[in-house]
Amino acid sequence: MQASYIQVSEEMPLGKERQGSKEIAVSKDFPILQTKIRGKPLIYLDSAATSQKPLSVITAIDTYYKTTNANIHRGLHTLSGQATDLYEGARKKIATFIGANEKEIIFVRNATEAINLVAHTLHPKRGDMIVSTVMEHHSNIVPWQQVAQQTGALLAFIPLTKEGLLDMKKTNVLFAKKPLLVAFTHVSNVLGTINPVKELVALAHKYGALVLVDGAQAVPHIHVNVKELDADFYVFSGHKMLGPTGIGVLYGKKALLEKMDPFLTGGDMIKEVALEGSTWNELPWKFEAGTPNIAGAIGLGTAVDYLQSLGMENIQKHEQELLQYALEKMKCVAGVTMYGPLYDPLIRSGVIAFNLGDIHPHDLASVLDDEGIAIRSGHHCAQPLMQTLGVSATARISVSVYTTKKDIDVFLVALEKARRIFRL
Ligand SMILES: Cc1ncc(COP(=O)(O)O)c(C=O)c1O
């Protein structure tokens, strides 16, 4: 199997164990990449749906269950203390990784649950406005629709320019209406657009709005510092950033989280319970009712270690190069329509949604699967965006730390094969 290499420049931060090496082999760290699909080496180009996991993450979870498994916080015995230390240690790693205080890191199941947590504890009044955008994943649309229906709040969406960017003129108009909250994605899972989060947050704050940023497609790929961005809430999922499924993060500013009601109630999130009523635990536990995904949090902490050992700047550079390479090559494939900003790869992350002639994306995905290539096809949980693009579905490739130029080349050859099969 060929290893993928990320070039590391001297001045870029590296994990201790990797310091001194000029190149770091990456794909060899991911056991699944040795899998064969129909006898052909797996080419995994579906990392935006979920990323593959390095051996260190798999081992951390395995070791936890083999050596340390116990319930946390409540036990006085040794294992419970060790499990608590590992769980809370993971929280610290994640807080440091995104520039937050550990009290501001709430463990949830995924980005979707984090958005629901905020939506259901916001308590807007009738007539309050919530602003989202047309490029959102359903998880940043549907919870707001529900809340608006239940409370009489108004919902508005920022439209897009032809290039697949947020329309800043319309953004200004909507923000000037002084919404209660604006919720937008850092990186689009279809267009790849990297939104100008800092600028948008500053503008929203100027009009007194709270800001929730969906970082599900950003945290695995670019350096994120929530304090620099000044977002009030920032959400992401572990499984897209080399971590396990079933664990995600809500970051919220401490002062806001303290004022918010709990989302779920029960064990662990309380200070005292009497039959007449209860009081709430301190942050962050006030929002973590019941036994959490302890192994998941530990796995996510290890994924953060892994990302940091590569260096987010190196990861971004590696993925940018792959993106530019793929965009240039795909432009030359007759019949390909690509979506999202095409002329400035710096405002775009490693996701390419495209269509090939009038081949249905599901048919295309199936032909590529015969070649061992995993791509995504469908509406990508972004039906309003599909309507805006005038399509019902697209195919999509997406890259990660372990993706290689060779993967892109194999994919391009398979695209040509699909063109022949469908007589394009
Ligand atoms: C931009 C974006 N937001 C949110 C989500 C939802 O993530 P999860 O299903 O892990 O909650 C996704 C998943 O694809 C996404 O791409």
Side-chain angles (χ1 to χ4, degrees):
M1 190 197 54
Q2 206 202 324
S4 147
Y5 290 93
I6 290 184
Q7 293 286 342
V8 177
S9 70
E10 306 292 354
E11 63 279 4
M12 282 176 176
L14 286 173
K16 266 195 213 114
E17 72 278 13
R18 295 183 189 265
Q19 214 132 23
S21 67
K22 267 223 128 203
E23 279 185 332
I24 38 184
V26 171
S27 56
K28 69 167 176 42
D29 295 342
F30 292 78
I32 203 169
L33 297 179
Q34 302 192 27
T35 302
K36 294 236 156 78
I37 304 287
R38 300 175 212 283
K40 297 184 177 146
L42 166 65
I43 305 289
Y44 189 75
L45 294 173
D46 195 18
S47 296
T50 198
S51 66
Q52 297 303 347
K53 323 300 174 200
L55 186 60
S56 60
V57 169
I58 299 166
T59 305
I61 296 167
D62 186 58
T63 306
Y64 165 71
Y65 278 125
K66 280 181 181 155
T67 66
T68 325
N69 178 48
N71 211 330
I72 54 167
H73 296 149
R74 286 159 259 183
L76 286 180
H77 59 82
T78 304
L79 276 190
S80 177
Q82 287 173 352
T84 303
D85 288 349
L86 286 173
Y87 180 76
E88 294 302 336
R91 195 194 308 276
K92 267 195 202 129
K93 285 180 192 175
I94 291 154
T96 309
F97 184 55
I98 61 162
N101 180 300
E102 65 201 77
K103 296 217 174 296
E104 300 171 316
I105 300 294
I106 315 292
F107 282 127
V108 289
R109 280 188 303 150
N110 44 41
T112 304
E113 185 172 292
I115 296 169
N116 272 275
L117 190 160
V118 176
H120 289 280
T121 51
L122 189 66
H123 305 310
K125 294 194 291 297
R126 176 167 293 280
D128 278 344
M129 184 181 255
I130 295 165
V131 174
S132 185
T133 90
V134 169
M135 70 165 73
E136 301 307 308
H137 187 279
H138 294 162
S139 62
N140 207 15
I141 294 178
V142 184
W144 306 117
Q145 288 174 335
Q146 281 293 99
V147 167
Q149 270 168 24
Q150 287 159 5
T151 60
L154 307 169
L155 195 49
F157 295 95
I158 302 170
L160 308 184
T161 65
K162 278 199 204 100
E163 294 76 36
L165 308 178
L166 292 179
D167 182 331
M168 288 310 287
K169 254 197 201 152
K170 301 271 169 50
T171 303
N172 265 286
V173 172
L174 282 174
F175 284 13
K177 295 186 179 187
K178 304 196 171 174
L180 175 65
L181 179 132
V182 303
F184 56 84
T185 192
H186 194 156
V187 173
S188 160
N189 66 318
V190 175
L191 305 168
T193 312
I194 304 176
N195 284 321
V197 172
K198 212 169 162 179
E199 195 184 326
L200 288 165
V201 171
L203 186 65
H205 282 169
K206 186 174 128 192
Y207 291 110
L210 292 169
V211 181
L212 179 144
V213 180
D214 173 358
Q217 298 291 351
V219 176
H221 307 292
I222 58 182
H223 169 76
V224 170
N225 181 303
V226 288
K227 289 277 141 70
E228 278 168 18
L229 297 175
D230 200 24
D232 298 297
F233 303 103
Y234 195 99
V235 308
F236 50 100
S237 290
H239 69 95
K240 294 186 196 285
M241 51 187 289
L242 317 183
T245 50
I247 188 81
V249 171
L250 165 68
Y251 155 81
K253 284 183 180 162
K254 192 162 163 267
L256 289 170
L257 292 173
E258 264 162 359
K259 275 193 273 171
M260 283 156 60
D261 288 333
F263 175 42
L264 300 173
T265 53
D268 230 27
M269 53 70 65
I270 47 82
K271 188 175 275 165
E272 274 181 52
V273 177
L275 292 179
E276 297 73 29
S278 307
T279 54
W280 311 141
N281 205 340
E282 290 166 17
L283 288 177
W285 307 293
K286 174 175 123 180
F287 291 102
E288 293 180 7
T291 302
N293 184 352
I294 305 165
I298 294 166
L300 180 55
T302 310
V304 164
D305 289 340
Y306 185 85
L307 289 169
Q308 283 182 318
S309 77
L310 298 181
M312 291 311 293
E313 287 80 3
N314 299 325
I315 291 171
Q316 189 172 358
K317 189 163 166 276
H318 169 74
E319 294 179 0
Q320 275 295 334
E321 277 171 17
L322 285 174
L323 172 69
Q324 289 193 41
Y325 182 72
L327 283 175
E328 286 308 316
K329 296 274 180 185
M330 285 175 72
K331 270 183 208 164
C332 306
V333 179
V336 161
T337 308
M338 291 187 281
Y339 304 95
L342 290 181
Y343 301 105
D344 184 358
L346 292 180
I347 52 165
R348 180 176 181 131
S349 179
V351 169
I352 304 178
F354 68 99
N355 273 310
L356 183 58
D358 56 3
I359 304 174
H360 194 282
H362 288 342
D363 293 335
L364 180 60
S366 162
V367 168
L368 295 185
D369 185 54
D370 284 343
E371 303 299 312
I373 304 167
I375 68 157
R376 201 78 176 166
S377 61
H379 54 58
H380 315 292
C381 295
Q383 283 182 318
L385 176 56
M386 292 293 121
Q387 277 158 24
T388 303
L389 297 175
V391 293
S392 59
T394 77
R396 181 186 74 184
I397 61 167
S398 50
V399 306
S400 183
V401 295
Y402 41 76
T403 313
T404 64
K405 273 194 180 154
K406 188 169 161 260
D407 292 342
I408 305 291
D409 288 338
V410 175
F411 158 73
L412 290 163
V413 171
L415 264 193
E416 285 301 335
K417 187 169 177 189
R419 290 185 66 245
R420 283 199 303 278
I421 291 173
F422 293 101
R423 295 174 203 281
L424 265 193

